[in-house]
């Protein structure tokens, strides 16, 4: 007899595409002890300035001095981390029946609403 008339369950074993557990391939955090920034500067004086910037931002970096002719500074990783802005927070407007924030004892809908 043919298999198509009698159901014996699923013929092919399908793979489970659901992942459980922690994210094992997490992105490294730039500027941490494990993944320090790699910066190149052109003079010792500039190296001291960059060290102060890195310490103020509480980061870790490997700073090398390249004094060869035509050398360029490479501190773009540091600039990218330093230029990140903080998220904008918006003050919550009180609901109609909550007390008014101006200090009166009235409800918001009767006072400033």
């Amino acid at each position: 007899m043919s298999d198509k008339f009698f159901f014996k369950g699923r013929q092919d074993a399908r793979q489970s595409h659901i992942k459980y557990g922690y994210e094992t391939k997490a992105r490294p955090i730039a500027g941490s002890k494990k993944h320090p920034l790699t910066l190149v500067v052109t003079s010792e004086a500039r190296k001291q300035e960059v060290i102060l910037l890195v310490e103020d931002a509480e980061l870790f970096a490997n700073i090398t001095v390249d004094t060869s002719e035509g050398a360029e500074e490479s501190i773009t990783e540091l600039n990218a981390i330093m230029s990140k802005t903080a998220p904008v927070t918006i003050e919550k407007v009180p609901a109609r029946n909550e007390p008014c924030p101006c200090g009166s004892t009235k409800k918001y809908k009767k006072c400033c609403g």
Side-chain angles (χ1 to χ4, degrees), residues 81-102:
I81 291 175
M82 299 290 281
S83 66
K84 286 185 181 177
T85 59
V88 177
T89 56
I90 300 172
E91 189 174 319
K92 181 186 164 202
V93 177
R96 294 184 70 223
N97 290 325
E98 291 180 2
C100 190
C102 70

Side-chain angles (χ1 to χ4, degrees), residues 39-90:
L39 308 174
V40 178
V41 294
T42 55
S43 66
E44 285 293 328
R46 182 67 176 146
K47 180 178 179 179
Q48 297 303 322
E49 293 175 11
V50 172
I51 287 173
L52 290 175
L53 287 173
V54 169
E55 288 175 355
D56 288 344
E58 297 177 355
L59 298 172
F60 295 93
N62 295 331
I63 304 170
T64 57
V65 178
D66 187 8
T67 57
S68 64
E69 207 170 299
E72 293 184 11
E73 219 174 54
S74 173
I75 58 169
T76 54
E77 293 178 345
L78 180 64
N79 291 337
I81 291 175
M82 299 290 281
S83 66
K84 286 185 181 177
T85 59
V88 177
T89 56
I90 300 172

